[in-house]
Amino acid sequence: MRTGTKTASQFDVQRIRADFPALAQTVHGYPLVYLDNAATSQKPRVVIDEMMRFYTQDCANVHRGVHLLSERSTAAYEGARETVRRFLNARSTREIVFTRGATEAVNLVAQTYGRANVGPGDEILITALEHHSNIVPWQMLAEEKQAVLRVAPVDDRGEVILEEFERLIGPRTKIVALAHVSNALGTINPAAEMVRIAHREGAVVLVDGAQAVPHMQADMRRLDCDFYVFSGHKTFGPTGIGVLYGKAALLEAMPPWQGGGDMIRSVTFEKTLYNDLPYKFEAGTPHIAGAIGLGAALDYMTAIGMDRIAEYEHELLEYGTEALLGVEGVRLIGTARKKAAVLSFVMEGVHPHDIATILDRRGIAIRAGHHCAQPIMERFGVPATSRVSLAFYNTRQEIDALVEGLGWVKEVFA
Ligand code: PLP
């Protein structure tokens, strides 16, 4: 067994693990080895505590009451927005809209910006490695507007072919939507470069950061994308909360999405005047506790340091890649030169679901399936893969346990 929990950067993973109560449990009598972080991540105690504090002390609606609890609740909610702004290095909190998650954020852009700006014959460009939530909303929009959905292909490593991407962008391209990191393959797209290419042709770019924000710095001023989305629950925060970042000028010009309370300035039966950014896009009572929990999660990651997280995970991914390649019959799906956190693989003679089921009996949680990215599975000629997805609290010992687990899988199928 290869050991060592501290890397060259002296990342104290055991100390970090102690912050995550869920990691300390046993599953089917074995210590939990949680390797399904791309689906959702575990939560540090500080996130749980902050949400508990909201519900036990500060629970009141935001932006409305004049009483103290409402003031505290509003301050915490808006404080979380400022935390997100800082985390993304956005220029203003006006550019930070809370949503239910990445999916809702993409749909918001498709149905507001998209509906207002895409017409018959216009084009929307996505890439072949998108999650369904960055495919289907654009397909729906294209159908509604008789627009054309184009797809930039990937090569055998799972990297978007940049020349093809560039070739597919033309004067009719209104929107380009691309993943920062692929959930199925782990490919890190050269997002800043792709944004530059798209902007040269005048297209607006949405970057899906759902699998990037938990692992690396996502800097809005450096990326210069027009929209960026991510989910709280994949970022060590709660479920039901996510973020849409949008450049203020674009959000300003967009029609609102849902109508209701809080998104208005004034309402008469004849005419409604809409609220300022970002509230124009936050109809109804928001997920206040969720935003507070997300803020705590982002602060937690910042305290560790995003560069240190990325460095540690990179070493762990290299260790895991080598370890999996050492297992006879295992083939990695997705071998991009720049990858984050994901090891998708198939094993000769064993269905991915069987692998995941047997590993679960040993306390090892991985995902099997198409990972809500059926087109990229098809591109690689497989209906499904087994997917190991890492977080900064995972260890080399857990990778060793996985490899040992794959040995049991082989024994079962021998
Ligand atoms: N985009 C990517 C790349 C994802 O991996 C996911 C979820 O797996 C999503 C978007 C959708 O996230 P959510 O279901 O939290 O809205």
Side-chain angles (χ1 to χ4, degrees):
M1 184 179 185
R2 285 170 278 190
T3 53
T5 51
K6 285 192 180 180
T7 65
S9 53
Q10 295 299 301
F11 190 85
D12 193 345
V13 68
Q14 293 306 340
R15 226 178 94 192
I16 284 167
R17 288 178 70 81
D19 292 334
F20 290 80
L23 295 179
Q25 64 189 300
T26 54
V27 168
H28 302 307
Y30 291 85
L32 169 65
V33 173
Y34 188 78
L35 298 172
D36 193 19
N37 295 285
T40 201
S41 56
Q42 299 303 335
K43 320 305 172 199
R45 193 176 300 281
V46 65
V47 167
I48 301 161
D49 287 350
E50 280 301 307
M51 294 177 75
M52 179 86 98
R53 195 162 68 96
F54 170 74
Y55 283 125
T56 51
Q57 293 175 30
D58 300 337
C59 184
N61 214 326
V62 289
H63 304 148
R64 287 166 206 176
V66 288
H67 56 80
L68 183 64
L69 262 57
S70 179
E71 274 173 29
R72 289 209 300 250
S73 161
T74 302
Y77 181 68
E78 291 305 328
R81 198 190 307 277
E82 166 57 18
T83 301
V84 175
R85 183 207 66 75
R86 213 170 36 238
F87 193 81
L88 294 179
N89 193 26
R91 286 189 169 80
S92 160
T93 49
R94 297 171 69 239
E95 300 182 315
I96 307 297
V97 177
F98 284 120
T99 63
R100 277 197 301 125
T103 302
E104 187 174 75
V106 177
N107 278 279
L108 190 161
V109 175
Q111 290 178 33
T112 56
Y113 182 86
R115 274 191 179 147
N117 291 282
V118 174
D122 284 340
E123 294 175 12
I124 301 160
L125 176 64
I126 59 174
T127 84
L129 49 66
E130 300 307 317
H131 186 278
H132 294 165
S133 57
N134 205 23
I135 301 174
V136 183
W138 305 117
Q139 236 166 11
M140 290 162 65
L141 175 66
E143 215 164 280
E144 181 184 321
K145 295 290 182 173
Q146 283 109 50
V148 181
L149 186 70
R150 297 212 180 278
V151 184
V154 300
D155 63 17
D156 290 341
R157 280 193 288 243
E159 294 180 8
V160 174
I161 305 167
L162 277 188
E163 302 75 48
E164 288 294 309
F165 174 78
E166 191 159 9
R167 197 181 59 74
L168 284 165
I169 300 177
R172 303 271 355 214
T173 313
K174 288 291 184 326
I175 298 172
V176 174
L178 58 102
H180 200 172
V181 172
S182 153
N183 69 309
L185 307 178
T187 307
I188 303 177
N189 271 328
E193 192 180 345
M194 292 166 89
V195 169
R196 263 196 309 279
I197 293 170
H199 280 173
R200 262 203 317 259
E201 292 288 343
V204 156
V205 188
L206 177 142
V207 178
D208 171 1
Q211 298 295 346
V213 171
H215 308 291
M216 62 178 74
Q217 192 75 58
D219 184 324
M220 294 306 103
R221 291 188 225 189
R222 210 182 58 74
L223 271 182
D224 195 33
C225 55
D226 302 289
F227 300 107
Y228 194 91
V229 307
F230 71 95
S231 289
H233 70 97
K234 296 182 196 288
T235 315
F236 314 100
T239 55
I241 188 80
V243 170
L244 165 66
Y245 157 84
K247 282 182 179 164
L250 283 169
L251 292 178
E252 202 79 80
M254 279 155 58
W257 187 32
Q258 296 176 330
D262 230 25
M263 54 78 74
I264 53 91
R265 189 190 297 280
S266 70
V267 178
T268 66
F269 287 123
E270 288 70 39
K271 186 163 178 59
T272 291
L273 295 177
Y274 302 122
N275 207 342
D276 294 331
L277 294 179
Y279 312 112
K280 182 171 95 176
F281 295 105
E282 292 183 1
T285 299
H287 186 6
I288 306 165
I292 292 167
L294 175 58
L298 299 184
D299 278 341
Y300 178 83
M301 292 174 77
T302 301
I304 296 172
M306 290 310 293
D307 288 347
R308 290 180 70 219
I309 285 173
E311 186 188 358
Y312 174 76
E313 287 188 9
H314 180 70
E315 286 178 19
L316 198 58
L317 186 69
E318 284 194 337
Y319 184 84
T321 304
E322 207 181 301
L324 278 183
L325 288 176
V327 179
E328 212 192 306
V330 162
R331 180 164 63 92
L332 285 180
I333 304 292
T335 51
R337 285 161 295 185
K338 289 197 169 163
K339 279 183 66 172
V342 171
L343 290 162
S344 246
F345 64 95
V346 289
M347 198 168 162
E348 220 175 279
V350 192
H351 193 280
H353 281 111
D354 291 333
I355 297 176
T357 304
I358 294 169
L359 289 178
D360 174 61
R361 302 304 301 173
R362 306 283 175 144
I364 302 168
I366 69 162
R367 175 88 175 260
H370 53 59
H371 317 298
C372 298
Q374 278 180 317
I376 196 66
M377 296 287 111
E378 204 175 304
R379 162 66 181 78
F380 280 89
V382 291
T385 69
S386 300
R387 183 187 68 186
V388 168
S389 53
L390 306 168
F392 55 75
Y393 45 60
N394 288 125
T395 67
R396 290 183 175 208
Q397 284 89 341
E398 290 181 310
I399 303 278
D400 295 337
L402 169 75
V403 169
E404 205 179 322
L406 291 177
W408 295 320
V409 172
K410 277 191 179 179
E411 276 172 33
V412 171
F413 282 87

